[in-house]
Amino acid sequence: MESSSFLPSDHLQLPDHPGVYKYFNDENELIYVGKAKSLKKRVSSYFNKLSGSNLKTRRMVREIARIEITLVNSELDALLLENNLIKKVQPKYNILLRDDKTYPYLLITKENFPRIFPTRKLIPKRGTYFGPFASVKAMNNVLDLIRELFTIRTCSLDLSPYKIDEGKYKVCLEYHIGNCQGPCVGNQREAAYLKDLEQAKHILKGNLGVAKTYFKQEMQEFAEKLEFEKAQRMKEKLDLLEKYQAKSLITNPSIANLDVCTLVADEKTAYVNYMRVKNGAMITSKNVELKKRLDESEEELLITALIRLQDQFQSDATETLTNINLENPIEGLNLSVPKIGDKKKLIELSLKNALYYKKEKALLQGLNQDKKDRVIKQLQQDLSLPEIPDHIECFDNSNIMGTSPVASMVCFLNGKPAVKEYRHFHIKTVEGPNDFASMKEIVGRRYKRLLEEEKPLPKLIVIDGGKGQLSSAVEALQELGVYGKMPIIGIAKRLEEIYFPGDSYPIHIDKKSESLKLLQRIRDEAHRFAITFHRKVRSKNAFGTQLTAIPGIGENTAEKLLKHFKSVKKIKEANLEQLSEVIGSSRAQSLMEWKEKNKGA
């Protein structure tokens, strides 16, 4: 693969070739990744047809400062590379699967007499992983089946040959109840153990037919040797396997190995059901939600979800059934929309799951909104407010011994964090550790700006602190002439007391009240936001001071480095070439020499 960089104005010079394009903003942040059959046509379409684009797309295009492309051999290769980049970087304008779960796997260990056990951590050197499983229940069903069919050990003993020969171990309860053959005391050879383990692997891969054939052959061999008790045990295991397969069977067993992916969408969201089918049995079923970022088509949403889910669940399917016809089929991606027969029934089943998931999400969203409405109405009653506080803003200061004083403001709309409305403040007019003066400054700055921009004022202001901080905030509002136009309270941390301006005594809300919990959540969020910003500023200032002590590097150069690399760690990790691109070769050389002298510091 070959990568190149272009300015947005050079989009017509892009090659007419499959590949991946990456958009960066002026802070060198990756904001969007896309794939194309023709890079020239696809990238140019963003700039040539901008008037017909939606608002989000126009906003993204205005942010583009640099375009980077990577050439690949086919559109499918571009699709796979795009998926890997999005999964790794998660650019803000790309579709993201709303799924924060860590899925369980089954691990077959690399050791003598390997074990099989569940885990959520992927460490490749430990052994071979099977999964992920869409649920713990599905994983446990397979694991229970394997333990009933085969005598796989569950202990964690080191079964090295010399330890077994030295007689270091004794058999445990698992041996006495027939779940283990006692390899720890030499009762089972590793070759026989691995033979069973190989069949367990086939089951984990969904190839139940191979395991069934194995038990049939074993049963016949024992019967021919007149070992009828052993033959009966093999028959019972075969029956167990067939019973398990019958439970999983959803269609004709002749349907060997395929995926099913269906999508239903509304204006803002798409709901996808993904199923993996082997030998007529469903071995995976997963629902996911996708939020539209740039008004993507159903075709784009489906392809995005399918590629990521197939990657996540390590699919080896040769065909994928779906409910959406692709106007521009992708070579190498075998998608079909069946019209009749068993495959059509699979589409109907998958769509049924997707529609149910959509309905469930809508119901849950409605319940959550009802709860939020109830809580802010309760807060209105508890604080005797004239209006429902559906717009709350909370302020907090942060400084340590007066150094790097900063503050934060968080905003909650309808009882929910409105992260885009959060604000950081550098304290400008106060010297030393003076929380009261700092609070007056930031409250004054915030509402002076809202008044100038003619933006709506909040229905409730919360000050993180007691009477002193509250009085300072009130002074700022009085100077602006807006005191009395919006309720303001202070919340003291120690006893969770609520103070109103002019009242000598606080009010106490029931500790179990949902409205108090909402206030605590808002206050804690403001504190977290302020502390995080303060740490960042303190780190920036400390490293900036170190940088400006280096000959040839002043405040502007230090600021450039911090703006480009974003963190102290990344500046320390940068090589000479990367530094030279930002601050020039001579300054970069000085910085490299300084880094060498201070290595490990």
Side-chain angles (χ1 to χ4, degrees):
M1 289 186 290
E2 178 186 340
S3 296
S4 305
S5 188
F6 294 81
L7 293 173
S9 56
D10 298 331
H11 60 84
L12 293 175
Q13 297 176 24
L14 294 173
D16 188 12
H17 198 280
V20 166
Y21 55 94
K22 292 179 273 187
Y23 293 154
F24 294 84
N25 62 16
D26 56 7
E27 294 182 353
N28 208 36
E29 174 192 4
L30 181 60
I31 59 172
Y32 186 75
V33 176
K35 55 87 186 164
K37 190 174 182 179
S38 166
L39 286 166
K40 183 176 182 176
K41 291 177 183 176
R42 181 63 178 139
V43 175
S44 295
S45 69
Y46 283 97
F47 300 94
N48 296 340
K49 299 177 182 177
L50 201 53
S51 59
S53 303
N54 63 51
L55 182 62
K56 290 180 181 178
T57 304
R58 293 200 296 272
R59 187 189 304 150
M60 179 190 73
V61 172
R62 283 196 296 269
E63 285 187 46
I64 300 169
R66 180 170 66 87
I67 302 169
E68 192 174 289
I69 64 165
T70 303
L71 302 179
V72 294
N73 293 322
S74 68
E75 191 178 3
L76 180 59
D77 288 341
L79 194 57
L80 298 174
L81 177 57
E82 176 199 40
N83 172 56
N84 289 333
L85 288 168
I86 293 171
K87 188 167 60 173
K88 183 179 177 181
V89 184
Q90 298 193 344
K92 68 177 181 179
Y93 287 110
N94 279 104
I95 309 164
L96 302 176
L97 265 62
R98 295 172 65 85
D99 191 2
D100 55 359
K101 293 180 182 177
T102 305
Y103 290 98
Y105 290 79
L106 285 175
L107 167 65
I108 297 183
T109 57
K110 282 182 184 175
E111 60 184 327
N112 298 104
F113 296 94
R115 294 171 290 150
I116 303 178
F117 61 83
T119 181
R120 290 181 187 269
K121 293 182 179 178
L122 286 173
I123 307 172
K125 65 181 181 181
R126 291 180 68 187
T128 306
Y129 290 84
F130 294 86
F133 292 86
S135 69
V136 173
K137 184 179 179 182
M139 179 199 68
N140 285 335
N141 286 342
V142 178
L143 187 58
D144 291 344
L145 174 68
I146 288 170
R147 287 178 174 166
E148 285 191 66
L149 294 174
F150 309 106
T151 49
I152 305 294
R153 72 180 179 111
T154 56
C155 67
S156 57
L157 299 176
D158 178 4
L159 298 189
S160 301
Y162 74 91
K163 289 194 175 182
I164 296 172
D165 294 340
E166 287 176 4
K168 284 184 171 287
Y169 308 119
K170 291 183 180 179
V171 292
C172 64
L173 180 62
E174 289 292 297
Y175 171 79
H176 292 295
I177 62 177
N179 291 339
C180 178
Q181 293 186 35
C184 58
V185 294
N187 286 356
Q188 185 182 26
R189 294 298 170 197
E190 192 165 13
Y193 185 93
L194 292 175
K195 189 178 178 183
D196 278 357
L197 194 69
E198 194 60 34
Q199 299 308 314
K201 286 181 182 178
H202 286 301
I203 292 173
L204 288 171
K205 291 175 183 176
N207 299 327
L208 301 185
V210 177
K212 284 167 67 176
T213 302
Y214 168 76
F215 286 123
K216 281 180 184 176
Q217 289 173 348
E218 290 283 294
M219 180 179 68
Q220 288 168 358
E221 287 177 13
F222 284 130
E224 286 170 6
K225 295 176 186 176
L226 306 182
E227 297 180 33
F228 297 116
E229 287 185 7
K230 291 181 179 178
Q232 177 61 25
R233 282 200 293 273
M234 291 300 112
K235 184 180 184 301
E236 287 170 0
K237 291 184 178 184
L238 181 61
D239 290 343
L240 186 66
L241 195 57
E242 287 180 337
K243 186 177 179 182
Y244 175 83
Q245 186 178 28
K247 279 184 179 180
S248 306
L249 198 69
I250 57 168
T251 189
N252 192 328
S254 63
I255 296 179
N257 181 15
L258 55 79
D259 287 350
V260 185
C261 190
T262 58
L263 177 144
V264 290
D266 54 31
E267 289 181 3
K268 296 181 180 178
T269 312
Y271 305 88
V272 175
N273 173 259
Y274 169 74
M275 299 193 311
R276 291 182 64 200
V277 178
K278 280 200 173 185
N279 301 318
M282 180 168 58
I283 62 172
T284 298
S285 180
K286 176 67 184 167
N287 295 315
V288 294
E289 180 183 359
L290 295 90
K291 288 290 183 185
K292 296 181 182 180
R293 295 293 180 91
L294 301 173
D295 197 27
E296 295 86 356
S297 67
E298 289 190 354
E299 183 177 322
E300 288 176 288
L301 292 164
L302 178 76
I303 293 296
T304 298
L306 175 62
I307 291 297
R308 294 187 206 171
L309 289 164
Q310 285 185 329
D311 175 42
Q312 186 177 47
F313 290 96
Q314 301 171 14
S315 172
D316 57 354
T318 54
E319 181 186 7
T320 301
L321 309 181
T322 182
N323 63 320
I324 295 173
N325 279 303
L326 265 64
E327 292 182 13
N328 304 297
I330 297 171
E331 190 177 344
L333 197 61
N334 187 10
L335 292 175
S336 59
V337 182
K339 302 298 181 187
I340 57 171
D342 291 327
K343 290 184 176 180
K344 172 67 173 174
K345 290 177 183 176
L346 282 173
I347 290 293
E348 290 169 353
L349 177 63
S350 179
L351 263 175
K352 188 177 181 180
N353 278 277
L355 288 165
Y356 179 78
Y357 182 60
K358 180 184 177 184
K359 181 180 177 182
E360 189 178 41
K361 281 286 182 180
L363 180 63
L364 185 62
Q365 190 175 6
L367 290 173
N368 287 341
Q369 190 55 52
D370 288 345
K371 181 182 178 181
K372 289 186 182 80
D373 291 344
R374 187 182 72 242
V375 173
I376 59 176
K377 284 177 183 176
Q378 183 63 47
L379 183 62
Q380 181 189 14
Q381 290 179 13
D382 290 340
L383 298 180
S384 301
L385 301 176
E387 294 181 89
I388 292 174
D390 53 7
H391 178 178
I392 303 174
E393 294 186 352
C394 180
F395 295 84
D396 185 31
N397 293 323
S398 180
N399 71 79
I400 297 176
M401 301 300 290
T403 63
S404 307
V406 297
S408 72
M409 185 281 293
V410 300
C411 177
F412 274 56
L413 299 177
N414 296 312
K416 186 178 177 182
V419 180
K420 289 182 180 179
E421 301 300 322
Y422 285 16
R423 296 293 182 268
H424 284 135
F425 299 89
H426 288 280
I427 304 301
K428 296 178 178 179
T429 62
V430 181
E431 292 185 9
N434 189 333
D435 281 349
F436 298 157
S438 297
M439 185 62 73
K440 180 180 177 181
E441 178 190 325
I442 61 170
V443 171
R445 283 167 55 189
R446 169 64 178 168
Y447 296 114
K448 182 182 179 184
R449 180 157 190 170
L450 286 189
L451 291 169
E452 287 172 350
E453 295 177 355
E454 298 182 351
K455 289 185 176 178
L457 297 171
K459 305 288 181 60
L460 175 65
I461 300 171
V462 179
I463 303 299
D464 183 10
K467 288 189 282 187
Q469 282 94 335
L470 178 61
S471 297
S472 299
V474 168
E475 284 179 32
L477 297 179
Q478 287 172 336
E479 290 177 8
L480 291 171
V482 292
Y483 179 60
K485 292 185 178 179
M486 42 190 168
I488 181 169
I489 61 170
I491 178 168
K493 290 185 180 72
R494 193 167 64 87
L495 297 173
E496 305 295 14
E497 297 170 326
I498 308 297
Y499 287 92
F500 279 88
D503 286 355
S504 302
Y505 300 101
I507 67 167
H508 295 270
I509 299 177
D510 184 349
K511 292 285 190 288
K512 296 180 181 178
S513 166
E514 288 181 323
S515 58
L516 178 62
K517 287 178 181 176
L518 174 61
L519 284 177
Q520 289 170 331
R521 184 186 173 200
I522 294 170
R523 186 268 317 279
D524 293 345
E525 177 69 352
H527 185 65
R528 178 200 67 78
F529 197 51
I531 287 290
T532 304
F533 184 49
H534 186 248
R535 284 176 184 152
K536 184 178 178 182
V537 170
R538 213 167 65 236
S539 171
K540 208 171 184 180
N541 289 347
F543 193 68
T545 304
Q546 288 178 308
L547 286 175
T548 52
I550 303 168
I553 294 183
E555 289 184 11
N556 289 340
T557 304
E559 185 64 30
K560 274 185 186 177
L561 286 164
L562 289 165
K563 186 177 180 181
H564 180 82
F565 290 103
K566 306 297 183 189
S567 72
V568 172
K569 183 182 175 185
K570 287 182 179 177
I571 293 174
K572 288 182 175 179
E573 290 172 352
N575 58 34
L576 180 62
E577 185 181 345
Q578 291 169 325
L579 292 170
S580 297
E581 287 180 7
V582 181
I583 59 173
S585 56
S586 61
R587 291 190 181 95
Q589 188 61 48
S590 298
L591 183 52
M592 290 299 291
E593 289 170 5
W594 176 84
K595 284 164 59 178
E596 191 62 35
K597 287 179 186 176
N598 292 271
K599 192 176 285 184

